[in-house]
Amino acid sequence: GAGVSQSPSNKVTEKGKDVELRCDPISGHTALYWYRQSLGQGLEFLIYFQGNSAPDKSGLPSDRFSAERTGGSVSTLTIQRTQQEDSAVYLCASSQLRNTEAFFGQGTRLTVV
Amino acid sequence: QKEVEQDPGPLSVPEGAIVSLNCTYSNSAFQYFMWYRQYSRKGPELLMYTYSSGNKEDGRFTAQVDKSSKYISLFIRDSQPSDSATYLCAGLRGSARQLTFGSGTQLTVLP
């Protein structure tokens, strides 16, 4: 595709439910990142995938958060037993290997009620 | 202390003004410094990046890094209403791939 695609664009879920957020990176980009942006806050790094290497999960806030990347392309971020503090915009970005320019998707706005 | 600090604003200027956006950082390992622009309900888009100290100019935008004072600046000349957005600075360590962002400055350029 022309850019990074994320779905859904908006998600409202009840506290305690699980959610899955999807990211489709730019074709050919080997690096994929997930960030979280809370209201009035900067972007908080969550997880980074690079090719077939083990992902860098150092930013995941708790074990309720997990992510996978299948076939080196599409990635899914899963949040289990959602809490109200999980409400935020979840942004995905991709870049070419050794390229400092990361392209962001439009994000998924998650609201936990 | 956050690794990248940024005044959240909001900052409001008249059209045509020169805008100065600033960040400070504490991590000496940062080698690249980025400025992203984020329109409301959109993802951030990269405006410019610089490597190490110095200036970089692109059209109406100039990015400046002073590593001795750990200070990052973005200047916008002849500001336009279309420049109204949130501007995010970020640092990147050469050995790492994830960016460390400031909290963003909300800019409004009034026509």
Side-chain angles (χ1 to χ4, degrees):
Chain A
V4 177
S5 178
Q6 291 188 247
S7 61
S9 52
N10 286 283
K11 176 72 176 178
V12 180
T13 190
E14 292 181 353
K15 179 181 172 181
K17 294 283 178 76
D18 297 352
V19 295
E20 283 190 354
L21 313 179
R22 177 187 167 104
C23 173
D24 200 341
I26 293 173
S27 177
H29 281 191
T30 56
L32 186 147
Y33 319 75
W34 284 97
Y35 288 84
R36 177 170 70 175
Q37 187 174 31
S38 302
L39 187 63
Q41 301 295 312
L43 279 70
E44 172 192 11
F45 167 74
L46 297 177
I47 189 168
Y48 161 64
F49 295 90
Q50 175 59 62
N52 295 321
S53 302
D56 176 355
K57 304 180 182 180
S58 60
L60 294 178
S62 78
D63 58 9
R64 295 187 295 104
F65 288 72
S66 63
E68 62 178 22
R69 187 178 184 191
T70 54
S73 182
V74 171
S75 177
T76 303
L77 177 69
T78 301
I79 308 173
Q80 295 178 309
R81 305 181 301 282
T82 51
Q83 304 295 313
Q84 288 186 326
E85 61 263 27
D86 299 334
S87 296
V89 176
Y90 289 82
L91 290 156
C92 175
S94 70
S95 69
Q96 294 178 342
L97 178 63
R98 304 186 197 287
N99 189 323
T100 53
E101 183 167 5
F103 293 85
F104 283 83
Q106 297 207 28
T108 294
R109 184 173 299 272
L110 175 66
T111 304
V112 182
V113 297
Chain B
Q1 181 190 9
K2 287 186 175 181
E3 288 187 279
V4 180
E5 299 274 5
Q6 187 173 8
D7 184 343
L11 180 62
S12 185
V13 300
E15 183 175 356
I18 296 174
V19 177
S20 173
L21 303 168
N22 307 294
C23 294
T24 59
Y25 66 94
S26 58
N27 191 335
S28 300
F30 287 148
Q31 293 180 293
Y32 295 90
F33 302 90
M34 280 76 166
W35 283 96
Y36 280 82
R37 178 175 61 193
Q38 186 175 24
Y39 291 112
S40 181
R41 296 189 172 263
K42 300 289 187 183
E45 57 176 329
L46 181 66
L47 274 177
M48 310 178 62
Y49 73 87
T50 56
Y51 175 71
S52 194
S53 280
N55 291 2
K56 186 173 183 179
E57 189 173 319
D58 185 0
R60 296 185 295 111
F61 298 88
T62 299
Q64 195 172 76
V65 176
D66 183 345
K67 294 195 84 174
S68 63
S69 60
K70 294 189 174 65
Y71 203 77
I72 315 164
S73 298
L74 178 71
F75 299 96
I76 308 174
R77 292 182 298 281
D78 187 24
S79 56
Q80 303 294 310
S82 57
D83 295 329
S84 298
T86 296
Y87 290 80
L88 297 150
C89 61
L92 178 68
R93 299 192 308 274
S95 60
R97 302 318 302 170
Q98 68 268 27
L99 295 159
T100 302
F101 283 88
S103 57
T105 299
Q106 185 179 345
L107 171 68
T108 300
V109 181
L110 301 169

